[in-house]
Amino acid sequence: MGTDEKDKLFKDLYDAIVIADTDKALSAARKLVYDFHVDVQELMNRALLPAMKHVGELYERGEYFIADMAMSADTFNAIMKEIIEPILGSNKETSGSSKRIVAVFGTVQGDIHELGKNLAKAYFMANGIDVVDLGVDVPAEKFVEAVKQYNAVIVGASALMTTTREEQKAVIEALRKAGLRDKVIFIAGGAPVTDEWVKEIEADVNGSDMFKAFEKVKELLRARGYATS
Amino acid sequence: MPRPSFYLLSRDEIELVYSKALEVLSTVGIKIEDELVKNFLESNGGVKKDDRTLIPEELAKEALKKAPKTFDLYDRDGKYIATLGEGANIFAPGSAAIYIIDHRSKDVRPPLLEDLKNAVIITDYLKNVDAQSTMLVPDDLPTQVRDFSRLYVVIKYSKKPVVTGAFTVENIKFMFDMMKVIRDDFNKRPWAIFDVTISSPLSWSKITARNLYDLAKEGIPAEIISMPQLSATAPATVSGGLLLHTAEVISGIVIAELVSPGSPIIYGGSTAVLQPRYGIPIITAPESVLLSLAYAEIAKYLRLPSHTYLGLSDNKIIDYQAGAETVYSAVLAVLEKFDIISGPGMLENELTQSLEKLILDDEVVGIAKRIAKGFSLSADELLQDIDEIKDGINKRHFLSSPRTRKLVREFHAYSIFDITARSAWDKKEVHDKAHDKVLEILKTYTPTMLDKDLIKRVEEVYASAWKYYNLGNPKLV
C-alpha cells in the first residue's frame, strides 16, 4: 500500500464528490480510513473540503447549477454520515470536537421548506462547521435550547415563505431574552430575506445566498477570535 | 359563437395522471404536522404509516364526489358576482407581498398599513380586476396581528370579494368574527376565499392544515394551493409536477370534505420553475405556465372550481419583460378558463406589489377577458353585414351607419395603454401615465366603504384581537 495508491484514492474521492458519484466516493473514503488509517482531519482537509470548495467555484463560474451542488452535497453528506460521524462519535473525547465551531440550523416555526437549509448545511459542514440540524417548523425556544445544549455560536433560521419570514424576528427575540443574542451569529436564511430585512430584525447575516452568507460568517467568526478554514 | 379555448391534455392523459395521483396518495401519502388534523384524518379512513398518512383511493374518490362542483361568489354587501366552477375568470391582485414599489419615490420598501389601504382603494376603482386580495403584509404592525389586520382594511374600504388567508392557527377565528359582523350568511353567500397552501412535496404544515380544517368547519371556501417548484420541491418534469400537484390538491380536498361534506373548495395552485442557476422561483417560466394550464384541466375533469397565479411578472421593475410575462400568462389563464386568477400588480417572484402595475394590469385583464369572450356570428348578423357592405361600397366607408355607431361602443375601451397618434401623443410613457392615475384615484375616488355602524363593530372585533395579544390600542387606518 504505497503513497501513490493513497494519493490516487484522495484524487478519486475528490473527483467523486465533485461529480457526485456517491458509491465511488464512499469506496475511496472507506479504503483511506480503514486500509491507510487516514484520520478524519486529513480526510476532510485533503478531499472533502477542497472538493466542496471546487463545487462552489464551478457554481460561481456558471458551470454548475444548483442541482449539481445538491448532488455533490448528498455525496458529501453520505461520507459524513457513514464514515466520519461514526468515527467522531466513537472518539469524542480525543477528536478535539469541543474546539469545533457549532451552528444550529432549522426552518422557523410554521415553515417546513427545508431545501435551502439542507444545502446550506452541506456547504457549512463542507467548510468545517459542525451543523446541528433541528429540522423543520422549529419553535423559537427550540433554537434557544439547542444553542445552550450544543454551545453553538451560529444560528441559521430559514424561511421560504414571505409569511413565515416574520418568525425569524421571534427567534432573535427569544435568543435576546435568554441572554444569548450577542453570543451567536444569526443568519436569516431563505429566498425572501433581503439586506433591509436583516437590518430591520437586527440579524447578522443575510442568508439568501449561502456562499455570501458563509463568507460573512467567516468574517464575523474571525472578528470574534475563532480560527476558520 | 366563436370563443377561443385552449386544450392541452387529452382525456386519456388526464385519467392517467388522476389515477397515478391516487396511487401516490395511497402509497406515499401525506405528512401532516398538526396532530389534531392528522388524528382526525386517521380516524376517518386515512391510514397511519410511520409519520405519514396514506389516503386510500376510495376515500379520495368519495371526497371528490362531495366537493361542490360550483358555488356562487358574492360581494361584501351580498350582491351576486359570479358562479365559480364555470370558468368565471375572476382576477384578484397577487397577494401577501412583502415589498411595494413606492409610487412616489419608486423605491422598493416593506409596505405599511397605509399602503394596503391605498392598494385596496385602487383595486376597488378598477373595472376589470374583479376581486380584492389581502395583497400586502403591513410591516408597521406587530407580527402577531399582520394577517387579520389586512382583512380589516379590505372589508372597510371595498365591497369587492376578497382572496385572503391567515398566517397563524389562532387568527383565522378573528377573521371569521369580522366577517360575521358584516353578514350572518357570510358562509352561505361567501365573499371571502381563504388560501391554504400545501408544502411540496406532500406536506401540510401545522398552520395550513389547521386553517383548512377550521375553514371546512365554518363552510368557508378554501382555495387549496399546491406550489410545486419544478426541479426543487417537485420532479423536474412538467408531468411529474402535474402528478404531485394533483395528489397534493386532492389531499386537501379529502381533509376538507371529511371535516364537512359539501364544504366549498377551489382547486388552486402557484407553480414555478426553480431557476437552476439563481435558485429563485420563476412563476412565469414556460414550463411553469404549462403546468398551471395542465392542472386546470384536471380540475375541469373533476368538475371543480379552479385557481392559479398568473397574470403577473417575475421581474423587479415595470418594463418590457414585466409586460410580456403578465400578458402571455393572463391571456393563457383566461383561455384555460380558470375561475380565480391571482396576479395583477405583482412582480418579483410574488414578493412585490406595485400600484402602477395594478392600473396597467387592469388594462391587460380587460383585453384578455375581451379576447376570451370571443365574438358573435350568426346568419342574421351576416345578412345585416351584406346590407352594410352594399351601403359601404357606395359611401366608401362604414363609419356613418347607425349600426357602426352602436357597435364601436362595444369595442374594448382602452383605459391606460397609449392608443393616440404620434401627433396627439403627450410624450408620456404608459408607466408615467399609470403613476398619474394612481395619484388621481387616491385624490378623487370615493371607495365603496362599509356602513359606519358596521365599521364600528368590525373595529371592535379588530381591537379585541389586538387585546388578545396585549398589544394595546389597534392601529386604525
Side-chain angles (χ1 to χ4, degrees), chain B residues 401-447:
Chain B
S401 103
R403 191 162 168 251
T404 298
R405 196 173 164 191
K406 174 174 172 283
L407 291 177
V408 289
R409 284 172 171 74
E410 294 172 19
F411 287 164
H412 173 74
Y414 287 87
S415 58
I416 197 79
F417 279 10
D418 196 322
I419 35 88
T420 56
R422 186 175 293 276
S423 55
W425 183 36
D426 58 9
K427 305 276 190 303
K428 269 195 173 162
E429 286 190 33
V430 72
H431 179 221
D432 293 329
K433 281 168 60 180
H435 180 67
D436 293 346
K437 192 76 189 172
V438 166
L439 297 179
E440 181 198 320
I441 295 167
L442 293 179
K443 198 171 162 194
T444 61
Y445 175 67
T446 309

Side-chain angles (χ1 to χ4, degrees), chain B residues 346-364:
Chain B
M346 203 139 228
L347 293 159
E348 201 180 0
N349 330 104
E350 295 178 6
L351 292 176
T352 303
Q353 259 288 353
S354 152
L355 302 185
E356 283 80 8
K357 188 160 187 294
L358 272 174
I359 302 280
L360 294 166
D361 287 355
D362 192 60
E363 181 90 277
V364 170

